Amino acid sequence: MDEHIYKRHNKSLLLYHLVFPMKYRREVLTKEIGDSLRLICVGISERYEIQFVEIGYECDHVHFLVQSVPSISVSKLVTLIKSLSARELFKAHPEIKRILWGGNLWTSGYYANTVGQYGNKDVIRKYIENQGKEVEYKKIHGEQLKLWD
């Protein structure tokens, strides 16, 4: 996990920090429900090209650190995780429906952010700015920035 994924025509390392609030920001998640959610995520990983690097939660929202492949967009990733986890949690814990009278586990919104292992925005910006200026850049700054060793 959180290593490069090699496919026939690409190599990728796509990590996302996703946050899903519970519907109405209700305090739904207990330790038992959180444990069920983790098991459900293991099942999702087995069926889809989605790896859950880390899962953390409080009673009214969940944080995921997820790795996936370029063919799965962020919105598809979110939809898959939300729909499958909601369906399975409602099956395993019918008491959740009493807390959430509308029948939805998650709000319609979410937070998504990319996570970089090899450099932040400023490092990558400088790297890109100096493409094609290698000779001039070396004279001023020494060796060219490298994203990977």
Side-chain angles (χ1 to χ4, degrees), residues 116-137:
Q117 182 175 353
Y118 290 104
N120 62 31
K121 179 177 71 175
D122 294 329
V123 169
I124 293 170
R125 179 183 287 143
K126 287 178 185 173
Y127 178 79
I128 292 170
E129 279 176 7
N130 291 298
Q131 291 298 297
K133 302 177 187 174
E134 186 174 335
V135 175
E136 181 182 330
Y137 186 81

PDB file of all heavy atoms in Angstrom, residues 116-137:
ATOM      1  N   GLY A 116       0.611  14.067  -1.372  1.00  0.00           N
ATOM      2  CA  GLY A 116       1.839  13.810  -2.119  1.00  0.00           C
ATOM      3  C   GLY A 116       2.906  13.189  -1.241  1.00  0.00           C
ATOM      4  O   GLY A 116       3.181  13.672  -0.157  1.00  0.00           O
ATOM      5  N   GLN A 117       3.489  12.117  -1.729  1.00  0.00           N
ATOM      6  CA  GLN A 117       4.562  11.465  -0.990  1.00  0.00           C
ATOM      7  C   GLN A 117       5.919  12.036  -1.370  1.00  0.00           C
ATOM      8  O   GLN A 117       6.838  12.032  -0.584  1.00  0.00           O
ATOM      9  CB  GLN A 117       4.531   9.962  -1.258  1.00  0.00           C
ATOM     10  CG  GLN A 117       5.581   9.205  -0.485  1.00  0.00           C
ATOM     11  CD  GLN A 117       5.452   7.703  -0.663  1.00  0.00           C
ATOM     12  OE1 GLN A 117       4.515   7.218  -1.260  1.00  0.00           O
ATOM     13  NE2 GLN A 117       6.400   6.977  -0.141  1.00  0.00           N
ATOM     14  N   TYR A 118       6.047  12.562  -2.600  1.00  0.00           N
ATOM     15  CA  TYR A 118       7.357  12.945  -3.099  1.00  0.00           C
ATOM     16  C   TYR A 118       7.609  14.441  -3.163  1.00  0.00           C
ATOM     17  O   TYR A 118       8.659  14.860  -3.579  1.00  0.00           O
ATOM     18  CB  TYR A 118       7.586  12.329  -4.484  1.00  0.00           C
ATOM     19  CG  TYR A 118       7.753  10.853  -4.385  1.00  0.00           C
ATOM     20  CD1 TYR A 118       6.729  10.001  -4.742  1.00  0.00           C
ATOM     21  CD2 TYR A 118       8.920  10.309  -3.880  1.00  0.00           C
ATOM     22  CE1 TYR A 118       6.877   8.641  -4.624  1.00  0.00           C
ATOM     23  CE2 TYR A 118       9.068   8.949  -3.759  1.00  0.00           C
ATOM     24  CZ  TYR A 118       8.047   8.117  -4.138  1.00  0.00           C
ATOM     25  OH  TYR A 118       8.190   6.778  -4.013  1.00  0.00           O
ATOM     26  N   GLY A 119       6.679  15.236  -2.789  1.00  0.00           N
ATOM     27  CA  GLY A 119       6.940  16.668  -2.813  1.00  0.00           C
ATOM     28  C   GLY A 119       5.671  17.462  -2.661  1.00  0.00           C
ATOM     29  O   GLY A 119       4.601  17.010  -3.027  1.00  0.00           O
ATOM     30  N   ASN A 120       5.819  18.639  -2.118  1.00  0.00           N
ATOM     31  CA  ASN A 120       4.655  19.503  -1.981  1.00  0.00           C
ATOM     32  C   ASN A 120       4.516  20.373  -3.217  1.00  0.00           C
ATOM     33  O   ASN A 120       5.306  20.308  -4.158  1.00  0.00           O
ATOM     34  CB  ASN A 120       4.756  20.331  -0.699  1.00  0.00           C
ATOM     35  CG  ASN A 120       5.955  21.258  -0.699  1.00  0.00           C
ATOM     36  OD1 ASN A 120       6.384  21.725  -1.750  1.00  0.00           O
ATOM     37  ND2 ASN A 120       6.506  21.522   0.468  1.00  0.00           N
ATOM     38  N   LYS A 121       3.516  21.223  -3.209  1.00  0.00           N
ATOM     39  CA  LYS A 121       3.206  22.062  -4.358  1.00  0.00           C
ATOM     40  C   LYS A 121       4.392  22.930  -4.772  1.00  0.00           C
ATOM     41  O   LYS A 121       4.699  23.057  -5.965  1.00  0.00           O
ATOM     42  CB  LYS A 121       2.004  22.935  -4.023  1.00  0.00           C
ATOM     43  CG  LYS A 121       1.583  23.877  -5.128  1.00  0.00           C
ATOM     44  CD  LYS A 121       0.352  24.664  -4.754  1.00  0.00           C
ATOM     45  CE  LYS A 121       0.708  25.674  -3.677  1.00  0.00           C
ATOM     46  NZ  LYS A 121      -0.377  26.575  -3.306  1.00  0.00           N
ATOM     47  N   ASP A 122       5.093  23.505  -3.824  1.00  0.00           N
ATOM     48  CA  ASP A 122       6.206  24.394  -4.157  1.00  0.00           C
ATOM     49  C   ASP A 122       7.369  23.654  -4.812  1.00  0.00           C
ATOM     50  O   ASP A 122       7.968  24.144  -5.767  1.00  0.00           O
ATOM     51  CB  ASP A 122       6.689  25.141  -2.908  1.00  0.00           C
ATOM     52  CG  ASP A 122       5.630  26.099  -2.376  1.00  0.00           C
ATOM     53  OD1 ASP A 122       4.845  26.631  -3.192  1.00  0.00           O
ATOM     54  OD2 ASP A 122       5.588  26.303  -1.150  1.00  0.00           O
ATOM     55  N   VAL A 123       7.696  22.478  -4.316  1.00  0.00           N
ATOM     56  CA  VAL A 123       8.785  21.685  -4.900  1.00  0.00           C
ATOM     57  C   VAL A 123       8.435  21.308  -6.335  1.00  0.00           C
ATOM     58  O   VAL A 123       9.250  21.455  -7.247  1.00  0.00           O
ATOM     59  CB  VAL A 123       9.048  20.412  -4.050  1.00  0.00           C
ATOM     60  CG1 VAL A 123       9.982  19.460  -4.780  1.00  0.00           C
ATOM     61  CG2 VAL A 123       9.606  20.781  -2.694  1.00  0.00           C
ATOM     62  N   ILE A 124       7.215  20.848  -6.553  1.00  0.00           N
ATOM     63  CA  ILE A 124       6.809  20.422  -7.890  1.00  0.00           C
ATOM     64  C   ILE A 124       6.707  21.624  -8.826  1.00  0.00           C
ATOM     65  O   ILE A 124       7.106  21.553  -9.981  1.00  0.00           O
ATOM     66  CB  ILE A 124       5.497  19.621  -7.827  1.00  0.00           C
ATOM     67  CG1 ILE A 124       5.783  18.303  -7.089  1.00  0.00           C
ATOM     68  CG2 ILE A 124       4.927  19.366  -9.212  1.00  0.00           C
ATOM     69  CD1 ILE A 124       4.567  17.497  -6.741  1.00  0.00           C
ATOM     70  N   ARG A 125       6.203  22.753  -8.322  1.00  0.00           N
ATOM     71  CA  ARG A 125       6.123  23.972  -9.140  1.00  0.00           C
ATOM     72  C   ARG A 125       7.510  24.370  -9.630  1.00  0.00           C
ATOM     73  O   ARG A 125       7.705  24.657 -10.803  1.00  0.00           O
ATOM     74  CB  ARG A 125       5.499  25.115  -8.347  1.00  0.00           C
ATOM     75  CG  ARG A 125       5.439  26.413  -9.180  1.00  0.00           C
ATOM     76  CD  ARG A 125       4.887  27.584  -8.405  1.00  0.00           C
ATOM     77  NE  ARG A 125       3.462  27.402  -8.248  1.00  0.00           N
ATOM     78  CZ  ARG A 125       2.787  27.738  -7.139  1.00  0.00           C
ATOM     79  NH1 ARG A 125       3.397  28.247  -6.115  1.00  0.00           N
ATOM     80  NH2 ARG A 125       1.491  27.549  -7.093  1.00  0.00           N
ATOM     81  N   LYS A 126       8.513  24.377  -8.732  1.00  0.00           N
ATOM     82  CA  LYS A 126       9.882  24.731  -9.127  1.00  0.00           C
ATOM     83  C   LYS A 126      10.441  23.736 -10.135  1.00  0.00           C
ATOM     84  O   LYS A 126      11.122  24.114 -11.080  1.00  0.00           O
ATOM     85  CB  LYS A 126      10.786  24.805  -7.897  1.00  0.00           C
ATOM     86  CG  LYS A 126      10.531  26.028  -7.049  1.00  0.00           C
ATOM     87  CD  LYS A 126      11.407  26.028  -5.825  1.00  0.00           C
ATOM     88  CE  LYS A 126      11.049  27.187  -4.920  1.00  0.00           C
ATOM     89  NZ  LYS A 126      11.764  27.125  -3.644  1.00  0.00           N
ATOM     90  N   TYR A 127      10.155  22.468  -9.916  1.00  0.00           N
ATOM     91  CA  TYR A 127      10.615  21.424 -10.825  1.00  0.00           C
ATOM     92  C   TYR A 127      10.068  21.660 -12.230  1.00  0.00           C
ATOM     93  O   TYR A 127      10.798  21.620 -13.225  1.00  0.00           O
ATOM     94  CB  TYR A 127      10.177  20.058 -10.299  1.00  0.00           C
ATOM     95  CG  TYR A 127      10.547  18.901 -11.189  1.00  0.00           C
ATOM     96  CD1 TYR A 127      11.841  18.389 -11.195  1.00  0.00           C
ATOM     97  CD2 TYR A 127       9.607  18.315 -12.027  1.00  0.00           C
ATOM     98  CE1 TYR A 127      12.178  17.325 -12.020  1.00  0.00           C
ATOM     99  CE2 TYR A 127       9.926  17.258 -12.843  1.00  0.00           C
ATOM    100  CZ  TYR A 127      11.218  16.772 -12.839  1.00  0.00           C
ATOM    101  OH  TYR A 127      11.547  15.723 -13.645  1.00  0.00           O
ATOM    102  N   ILE A 128       8.771  21.951 -12.314  1.00  0.00           N
ATOM    103  CA  ILE A 128       8.132  22.168 -13.612  1.00  0.00           C
ATOM    104  C   ILE A 128       8.610  23.466 -14.244  1.00  0.00           C
ATOM    105  O   ILE A 128       8.884  23.521 -15.449  1.00  0.00           O
ATOM    106  CB  ILE A 128       6.593  22.144 -13.471  1.00  0.00           C
ATOM    107  CG1 ILE A 128       6.142  20.725 -13.105  1.00  0.00           C
ATOM    108  CG2 ILE A 128       5.915  22.606 -14.755  1.00  0.00           C
ATOM    109  CD1 ILE A 128       4.687  20.618 -12.709  1.00  0.00           C
ATOM    110  N   GLU A 129       8.718  24.532 -13.462  1.00  0.00           N
ATOM    111  CA  GLU A 129       9.194  25.823 -13.978  1.00  0.00           C
ATOM    112  C   GLU A 129      10.548  25.691 -14.647  1.00  0.00           C
ATOM    113  O   GLU A 129      10.845  26.378 -15.619  1.00  0.00           O
ATOM    114  CB  GLU A 129       9.346  26.843 -12.843  1.00  0.00           C
ATOM    115  CG  GLU A 129       8.086  27.514 -12.416  1.00  0.00           C
ATOM    116  CD  GLU A 129       8.328  28.445 -11.224  1.00  0.00           C
ATOM    117  OE1 GLU A 129       9.501  28.653 -10.830  1.00  0.00           O
ATOM    118  OE2 GLU A 129       7.347  28.951 -10.697  1.00  0.00           O
ATOM    119  N   ASN A 130      11.380  24.818 -14.141  1.00  0.00           N
ATOM    120  CA  ASN A 130      12.756  24.725 -14.621  1.00  0.00           C
ATOM    121  C   ASN A 130      12.976  23.636 -15.656  1.00  0.00           C
ATOM    122  O   ASN A 130      14.117  23.378 -16.033  1.00  0.00           O
ATOM    123  CB  ASN A 130      13.692  24.547 -13.429  1.00  0.00           C
ATOM    124  CG  ASN A 130      13.736  25.804 -12.608  1.00  0.00           C
ATOM    125  OD1 ASN A 130      14.142  26.853 -13.096  1.00  0.00           O
ATOM    126  ND2 ASN A 130      13.268  25.724 -11.380  1.00  0.00           N
ATOM    127  N   GLN A 131      11.915  23.034 -16.162  1.00  0.00           N
ATOM    128  CA  GLN A 131      12.065  22.080 -17.247  1.00  0.00           C
ATOM    129  C   GLN A 131      12.568  22.824 -18.470  1.00  0.00           C
ATOM    130  O   GLN A 131      12.089  23.909 -18.804  1.00  0.00           O
ATOM    131  CB  GLN A 131      10.738  21.388 -17.551  1.00  0.00           C
ATOM    132  CG  GLN A 131      10.278  20.461 -16.456  1.00  0.00           C
ATOM    133  CD  GLN A 131      11.251  19.322 -16.241  1.00  0.00           C
ATOM    134  OE1 GLN A 131      11.480  18.504 -17.115  1.00  0.00           O
ATOM    135  NE2 GLN A 131      11.836  19.275 -15.053  1.00  0.00           N
ATOM    136  N   GLY A 132      13.551  22.280 -19.145  1.00  0.00           N
ATOM    137  CA  GLY A 132      14.103  22.901 -20.341  1.00  0.00           C
ATOM    138  C   GLY A 132      15.117  23.994 -20.040  1.00  0.00           C
ATOM    139  O   GLY A 132      15.692  24.573 -20.936  1.00  0.00           O
ATOM    140  N   LYS A 133      15.341  24.291 -18.786  1.00  0.00           N
ATOM    141  CA  LYS A 133      16.304  25.329 -18.394  1.00  0.00           C
ATOM    142  C   LYS A 133      17.446  24.697 -17.614  1.00  0.00           C
ATOM    143  O   LYS A 133      18.072  25.336 -16.793  1.00  0.00           O
ATOM    144  CB  LYS A 133      15.622  26.372 -17.495  1.00  0.00           C
ATOM    145  CG  LYS A 133      14.433  27.059 -18.107  1.00  0.00           C
ATOM    146  CD  LYS A 133      13.813  27.995 -17.100  1.00  0.00           C
ATOM    147  CE  LYS A 133      12.516  28.577 -17.602  1.00  0.00           C
ATOM    148  NZ  LYS A 133      11.852  29.370 -16.563  1.00  0.00           N
ATOM    149  N   GLU A 134      17.707  23.435 -17.882  1.00  0.00           N
ATOM    150  CA  GLU A 134      18.653  22.668 -17.080  1.00  0.00           C
ATOM    151  C   GLU A 134      20.027  23.326 -17.011  1.00  0.00           C
ATOM    152  O   GLU A 134      20.593  23.485 -15.935  1.00  0.00           O
ATOM    153  CB  GLU A 134      18.767  21.253 -17.625  1.00  0.00           C
ATOM    154  CG  GLU A 134      19.615  20.360 -16.767  1.00  0.00           C
ATOM    155  CD  GLU A 134      19.611  18.924 -17.245  1.00  0.00           C
ATOM    156  OE1 GLU A 134      18.660  18.498 -17.906  1.00  0.00           O
ATOM    157  OE2 GLU A 134      20.590  18.238 -16.938  1.00  0.00           O
ATOM    158  N   VAL A 135      20.560  23.729 -18.127  1.00  0.00           N
ATOM    159  CA  VAL A 135      21.908  24.311 -18.148  1.00  0.00           C
ATOM    160  C   VAL A 135      21.935  25.604 -17.345  1.00  0.00           C
ATOM    161  O   VAL A 135      22.781  25.802 -16.481  1.00  0.00           O
ATOM    162  CB  VAL A 135      22.380  24.555 -19.599  1.00  0.00           C
ATOM    163  CG1 VAL A 135      23.718  25.261 -19.622  1.00  0.00           C
ATOM    164  CG2 VAL A 135      22.454  23.233 -20.348  1.00  0.00           C
ATOM    165  N   GLU A 136      20.960  26.493 -17.609  1.00  0.00           N
ATOM    166  CA  GLU A 136      20.878  27.766 -16.891  1.00  0.00           C
ATOM    167  C   GLU A 136      20.637  27.525 -15.400  1.00  0.00           C
ATOM    168  O   GLU A 136      21.241  28.154 -14.551  1.00  0.00           O
ATOM    169  CB  GLU A 136      19.739  28.608 -17.481  1.00  0.00           C
ATOM    170  CG  GLU A 136      19.582  29.965 -16.825  1.00  0.00           C
ATOM    171  CD  GLU A 136      18.407  30.733 -17.428  1.00  0.00           C
ATOM    172  OE1 GLU A 136      18.089  30.541 -18.615  1.00  0.00           O
ATOM    173  OE2 GLU A 136      17.811  31.511 -16.674  1.00  0.00           O
ATOM    174  N   TYR A 137      19.765  26.577 -15.089  1.00  0.00           N
ATOM    175  CA  TYR A 137      19.424  26.291 -13.695  1.00  0.00           C
ATOM    176  C   TYR A 137      20.640  25.771 -12.925  1.00  0.00           C
ATOM    177  O   TYR A 137      20.890  26.169 -11.804  1.00  0.00           O
ATOM    178  CB  TYR A 137      18.280  25.262 -13.646  1.00  0.00           C
ATOM    179  CG  TYR A 137      17.754  25.020 -12.250  1.00  0.00           C
ATOM    180  CD1 TYR A 137      16.849  25.898 -11.679  1.00  0.00           C
ATOM    181  CD2 TYR A 137      18.175  23.916 -11.516  1.00  0.00           C
ATOM    182  CE1 TYR A 137      16.368  25.692 -10.402  1.00  0.00           C
ATOM    183  CE2 TYR A 137      17.696  23.697 -10.238  1.00  0.00           C
ATOM    184  CZ  TYR A 137      16.786  24.590  -9.690  1.00  0.00           C
ATOM    185  OH  TYR A 137      16.311  24.374  -8.426  1.00  0.00           O
TER     186      TYR A 137
END
